[in-house]
Amino acid sequence: MRNLVLIGMMGCGKSTAARLLAQELELEAVDTDQLIEAREGRSIPDIFAQSGEDCFRELEAELCRELARREGLVIACGGGLPMRPDCIGPLKTSGTVVFLERDPNDIYDNVNMEHRPLGQVEREAFLERYRQREPVYRRWADRVVSTRATAAETLEAILEVLR
Ligand code: S3P
């Protein structure tokens, strides 16, 4: 079974969707941020603060090469991961990439950014980051799904495009 790879802006709901999808399809859910935190023994904010974003991106790239060699995974990717071809490239080769699309204003207003170093910015900077990333997400995506009012409905929408 090839992998399912969920990409999209921070706070769009990738981790929840990955968990629900994995349950439904009897696959294993993994989350790149959580795996990096577990391996490093420190939180994402600590990695950014102590070692810098470049270090974090290298950890992401290393992890992607590993995950791409596995099968049967639903992979929730960190929001910035698709910006590096050496991260998303191997994952795309390993499976189907789904871009989970959610209005960035909705994210900004409703999602807790406490543990997201790049989320603690003014609205305009957040929207600008989204504008830069959105075409990249779209370019790597095999499928695009807009999030719905509930996680269960979003799950149904993803299952529908995968059929
Ligand atoms: C990031 C998103 C985060 C995490 C890190 C950087 C980004 O993941 O990888 O804070 O660059 O958008 P989520 O998308 O799970 O918040």
Side-chain angles (χ1 to χ4, degrees), residues 12-13 16-17 19-21 147-158:
C12 73
T16 304
R19 206 170 54 241
L20 297 177
L21 259 179
T147 57
R148 308 296 156 99
T150 67
E153 286 167 350
T154 300
L155 170 67
E156 277 313 311
I158 298 172

Side-chain angles (χ1 to χ4, degrees), residues 11 21 27-28 34 36 46 54 57 60 83 86 88 106 113 120 129 135 145 157:
L21 259 179
L27 300 172
E28 181 185 346
Q34 281 175 12
I36 289 171
D46 280 351
D54 288 351
R57 299 300 174 197
E60 274 188 326
M83 303 307 285
D86 61 334
I88 188 67
D106 176 25
M113 290 292 161
Q120 290 164 30
R129 190 181 293 279
V145 176

Side-chain angles (χ1 to χ4, degrees), residues 53-151:
E53 180 174 350
D54 288 351
C55 167
F56 175 73
R57 299 300 174 197
E58 287 307 316
L59 295 169
E60 274 188 326
E62 196 181 308
L63 179 62
C64 288
R65 285 192 289 276
E66 261 179 66
L67 293 178
R69 289 196 292 269
R70 295 176 56 190
E71 295 187 333
L73 301 176
V74 184
I75 304 169
C77 295
L81 184 155
M83 303 307 285
R84 279 188 50 162
D86 61 334
C87 291
I88 188 67
L91 293 183
K92 183 166 169 92
T93 311
S94 82
T96 302
V97 178
V98 178
F99 169 28
L100 207 52
E101 188 178 32
R102 179 170 172 187
D103 173 14
N105 274 299
D106 176 25
I107 297 177
Y108 193 82
D109 289 333
N110 295 301
V111 178
N112 182 354
M113 290 292 161
E114 210 175 312
H115 298 290
R116 295 179 162 106
L118 301 183
Q120 290 164 30
V121 293
E122 295 295 318
R123 180 184 301 269
E124 192 42 49
F126 189 80
L127 296 179
E128 178 53 30
R129 190 181 293 279
Y130 185 79
R131 278 193 288 274
Q132 287 168 5
R133 288 182 173 182
E134 197 245 20
V136 179
Y137 293 149
R138 221 170 267 290
R139 205 155 56 235
W140 286 104
D142 298 300
R143 301 276 186 275
V144 181
V145 176
S146 295
T147 57
R148 308 296 156 99
T150 67

